[in-house]
Amino acid sequence: MKRALVTGITGQDGSYLAELLLSKGYEVHGIIRRSSTFNTQRIDHIYQDPNDPKARLFLHHGDLSSTEWILSLIYSLAPDELYHLAAQSHVRVSFDVPEYTGDVTGLGTMRLLEAVRRSGCKTRFYQASSSEMFGSAPAPQNENTVFQPRSPYAAAKVYAYWMTRIYREGYGLHAANGILFNHESPRRGETFVTRKITRGVANILAGKENTLYLGNLESRRDWGYAPEYVEAMWQVVQQDTADDFVIGTGEAHSVKEFVEEAFSYAGLEWQKHVKISDRYFRPLEVDALIADTTKCRAELGWEAHIKFHDLVAIMVDADVEALGLKSPGRGKAILEEKIGSWNRWHNSVTRVAQALQGQASH
């Protein structure tokens, strides 16, 4: 049985990745921060009592600020694969907490790589790199595009990207970068613009609020569906030779288009409800991020099946149903048609009834 260690397991990507790995028969270990409140809601449905002899999901309390703690964990687990997803990942917030962002998002990666090197384990390492690293570079962007970061978050990710390459080329680690463009789902954090929009639509339909405040509506992004992207992560790690891959849909839409699509799908007029607030603008904006997916399609055989309009329907349906309202329903039908059996719809989170039995489609 393969053993995987996942940082950021309670986040959007970490929770979907844990489900995918369990469905493939892995033993999965996740690092979670100590907290006075429960922060495991995205994985509660797959959590097992560690005393259960059949348990294959285990959580470890700790953080990425201590190299020695990380080294001790890797020594004790000797994971076959390590997926590093943890980060301070909110771009706008990174301007407010640049030091913390640099420590967690940048140096945290170096500490993990150094721990793997010092342990001597033959662990395959995956670094969750970000399209934000491209910044102001002309679109579309691919693996050879020069990074031009425009935020503390992006700069920290560039450091982490290069440390991953340095440990691969300098020490022979099987260490790969997945440069993922924006990927969303009903599990997206509520302060990220896509989820903020779909929750706003649901709240307006429920009569809980009437106005949605947003920032820059002109930024264009390549938006995909997160569960498909964790499948790409897994494929990156399975390559015989570690390499770096851009992952995206190859399509771009503006924030304004996302607003128009979400409100129209729910039968609302967005102009009556959306207002612009300067507080949501970044000190430096990134105009357009669009993935050139030539390499991932050719070498991984991966491409996105859920595109922009489908994604919006999925997210609106989930947030509407989460408030106890009847959704238009197209999102659920799309998932049943296009996504494998490991990924199932259940209100605002996806449950995987098959995960613990290892019944995913491969």
Side-chain angles (χ1 to χ4, degrees), residues 223-225 228 249-251 303-312 338:
W223 279 302
Y225 183 53
E228 291 194 287
T249 71
E251 297 180 2
E303 61 181 311
H305 299 289
I306 301 295
K307 299 296 182 68
F308 177 74
H309 300 288
D310 291 346
L311 174 66
V312 175
K338 295 186 177 182

Side-chain angles (χ1 to χ4, degrees), residues 311-346:
L311 174 66
V312 175
I314 290 166
M315 294 182 66
V316 171
D317 278 1
D319 277 319
V320 169
E321 287 190 17
L323 294 181
L325 303 177
K326 182 175 176 57
S327 70
R330 187 162 64 87
K332 182 176 180 179
I334 289 165
L335 289 185
E336 291 176 346
E337 174 188 350
K338 295 186 177 182
I339 300 296
S341 62
W342 71 271
N343 183 258
R344 292 297 186 194
W345 177 272
H346 184 82

Side-chain angles (χ1 to χ4, degrees), residues 12 16 19 25 36 44 95 129 147 160 177 236 286-287 294 318 356:
Q12 170 189 256
Y16 286 123
E19 291 173 351
S36 59
D44 282 345
F95 285 97
S129 290
F147 300 133
N177 285 287
V236 167
V286 173
D287 294 332
T294 303
L356 300 180

Side-chain angles (χ1 to χ4, degrees), residues 35-184:
S35 174
S36 59
T37 58
F38 292 107
N39 60 357
T40 59
Q41 53 267 46
R42 291 187 181 97
I43 59 171
D44 282 345
H45 62 288
I46 56 173
Y47 179 73
Q48 296 169 283
D49 187 326
N51 296 306
D52 183 341
K54 296 182 180 180
R56 289 193 290 115
L57 175 64
F58 304 91
L59 303 179
H60 305 267
H61 289 279
D63 62 55
L64 302 182
S65 64
S66 170
T67 302
E68 293 305 316
W69 181 85
I70 295 168
L71 181 60
S72 175
L73 183 65
I74 290 176
Y75 263 129
S76 63
L77 295 179
D80 297 289
E81 299 169 6
L82 195 166
Y83 296 85
H84 179 37
L85 312 183
Q88 191 302 101
S89 58
H90 198 290
V91 178
R92 176 62 189 86
V93 171
S94 76
F95 285 97
D96 300 326
V97 288
E99 181 179 1
Y100 175 75
T101 300
D103 185 36
V104 173
T105 307
L107 292 176
T109 305
M110 178 275 294
R111 294 181 186 113
L112 284 165
L113 287 163
E114 179 63 8
V116 171
R117 184 188 73 82
R118 288 168 58 183
S119 74
C121 297
K122 300 300 182 183
T123 302
R124 294 189 172 199
F125 182 90
Y126 173 87
Q127 164 60 17
S129 290
S130 168
S131 62
E132 286 288 334
M133 300 188 303
F134 294 120
S136 55
Q141 297 96 356
N142 62 29
E143 293 81 2
N144 298 315
T145 301
V146 176
F147 300 133
Q148 298 181 34
R150 300 275 285 176
S151 68
Y153 167 75
K157 281 291 188 180
V158 169
Y159 172 85
Y161 167 91
W162 281 110
M163 291 304 291
T164 301
R165 288 194 56 172
I166 287 167
Y167 274 76
R168 177 173 77 220
E169 297 167 11
Y171 298 115
L173 267 62
H174 191 290
N177 285 287
I179 306 174
L180 271 58
F181 281 63
N182 294 63
H183 45 289
E184 319 297 317

